[in-house]
Amino acid sequence: LFDSTRAEDAPDTAMVSLAAHHAREGRRLDPMSGEAWITEGVVLERAGDRRGAAAALRRGVELEPLCLRHHIRRAFGSWGEDRIAAATMALRLSPRLPDAHLLMATVFVARDNAAEAERQLDAGLAAMPDPEEPSGLQVGLYWLKGLLRQLRGPTDDAIAWLDRELDLEPHGHVYARECCASALYAKGAMLADRGDTAAAREAYAAALSRAPRHAMARARLVILDGHADRLAAADLPDREARLHIDEAMARAAILVHVGRTDAAVELCHRALAASPPGNAGWLLPIDPL
C-alpha cells in the first residue's frame, strides 16, 4: 500500500509504520522464521533504516537459504555487493527471473558500466512472461533498456522501448504508475532533444499526472518554459547542502542548461556525499538530462 503511493504528493507513510509493527510482532512470535526476518528487512529499508534492514535481510536468508523469494526480497531491499550477491543466488535457484537481472543492472548503471547493465537487462527481457500470465509481471526492464539505448542512439529505438513499458501500465503492477512516470519523463526528454516541444510537454504532463513530485520532469518544464536562467541564478537556502539527490539532480540539470556544469557537478557531489548508504542517485550516469 505504501509502495503504490510513494510517488504521489502524500505517500501513505502510515502503512510503513503499521507494517513495521506487524513485522516486529511476526519475528517475536517466531524468531527462527526466515519469512519474518526478511519481511522486517524490507519494511526497515522502506522506513529508512538501511543498517537494520541489511542485518534482518541477511538473517532471513541464513535461516532459510533455499527460499527463492527471500533472495529476491533481499536483493530488492539492499544495494551494491549485497544486491548482486542476492540476485545471483536467486538466479542459481531459478535461472529465469527478470526481476533479478533488473536489480543487478541497476548496480552496474550506478557503476557507469552500461555494457554489463544492458547484458543483464537483455537476459531479463528474454525471460519476461506474457503480461496476461498470472505468474507475475515485472516492470522496469523496458524503461531501463530505453535509457541505455539512448546513450548510443538512435532515439527512435529508445522511444520504442519506453513505449513498450507504457503498454504494461494497464496490467496493474504495484510500481506501474511510478515506472511509467519515469518512462514518460525520459520520452519527453528525447522528444525535446529532437525539437518536438509540443509532444515533449504532453509527455511531461502525463508523467506528472502519475508522479506529481517527479523532480526531473519539473526541471525540464522549467527549461522549456524559459525560466532556467532565473532559477539557476537564484540563491538556494542553507539546506542546499542537504538536498535530496533527486532535487539536486533536477537543479543540476538546470545549471547544465545555462552552462554552469562545474556548479552542477559540485551540487550532485555534495548531495551524494550527504546521502545515507544506498541507491540514491544511481541513475546519474544515464539520466537524459
Side-chain angles (χ1 to χ4, degrees):
L1 285 171
F2 166 74
D3 276 9
S4 68
T5 65
R6 65 182 184 173
E8 297 177 4
D9 273 332
D12 195 352
T13 53
M15 291 297 99
V16 180
S17 299
L18 186 60
H21 164 74
H22 285 291
R24 285 193 302 270
E25 183 66 2
R27 183 167 56 79
R28 184 189 69 79
L29 290 168
D30 187 357
M32 299 304 291
S33 166
E35 184 76 28
W37 280 96
I38 286 286
T39 301
E40 184 172 42
V42 171
V43 174
L44 288 173
E45 191 277 334
R46 281 293 180 260
D49 181 0
R50 295 188 180 275
R51 180 173 294 182
L57 293 166
R58 189 177 302 114
R59 180 60 175 155
V61 296
E62 288 172 352
L63 288 168
E64 297 172 9
L66 298 181
C67 181
L68 173 63
R69 68 179 178 276
H70 291 357
H71 294 286
I72 285 291
R73 291 158 79 191
R74 184 188 178 199
F76 185 74
S78 59
W79 184 242
E81 299 296 340
D82 284 348
R83 173 169 283 191
I84 291 175
T88 300
M89 187 61 194
L91 288 168
R92 288 178 183 170
L93 294 171
S94 182
R96 294 182 60 81
L97 289 173
D99 40 356
H101 288 291
L102 172 63
L103 289 165
M104 277 202 280
T106 62
V107 179
F108 290 113
V109 168
R111 294 176 176 178
D112 204 14
N113 188 345
E116 180 60 23
E118 194 159 12
R119 190 184 75 81
Q120 290 293 337
L121 270 184
D122 287 343
L125 288 167
M128 282 280 277
D130 187 303
E132 303 298 338
E133 290 183 9
S135 57
L137 176 69
Q138 179 60 47
V139 300
L141 281 89
Y142 295 134
W143 159 70
L144 191 52
K145 177 74 173 180
L147 288 182
L148 289 166
R149 286 295 296 157
Q150 60 98 25
L151 294 179
R152 48 193 170 92
T155 56
D156 283 347
D157 188 31
I159 289 173
W161 283 105
L162 297 175
D163 284 337
R164 293 183 71 177
E165 187 69 56
L166 296 172
D167 289 341
L168 298 180
E169 187 173 19
H171 296 283
H173 192 284
V174 67
Y175 300 119
R177 284 176 61 82
E178 182 178 343
C179 188
C180 285
S182 292
L184 284 160
Y185 151 68
K187 183 177 180 178
M190 295 174 199
L191 290 168
D193 286 343
R194 294 198 319 201
D196 194 346
T197 304
R201 287 183 181 278
E202 288 181 9
Y204 293 136
L208 292 170
S209 72
R210 290 163 174 78
R213 296 182 297 138
H214 200 294
M216 298 303 288
R218 292 187 175 279
R220 192 54 183 256
L221 281 175
V222 165
I223 293 170
L224 289 179
D225 290 339
H227 300 317
D229 287 305
R230 177 173 57 82
L231 287 183
D235 290 331
L236 287 182
D238 292 339
R239 75 182 190 92
E240 180 181 281
R242 300 186 302 278
L243 279 180
H244 187 278
I245 186 60
D246 290 343
E247 296 176 292
M249 286 174 62
R251 179 163 172 80
I254 294 171
L255 291 169
V256 167
H257 181 74
V258 300
R260 297 178 58 192
T261 304
D262 288 347
V265 171
E266 177 61 22
L267 179 59
C268 287
H269 176 76
R270 292 204 308 271
L272 286 168
S275 294
N279 64 353
W282 72 272
L283 268 175
L284 260 172
I286 62 170
D287 187 277
L289 288 190

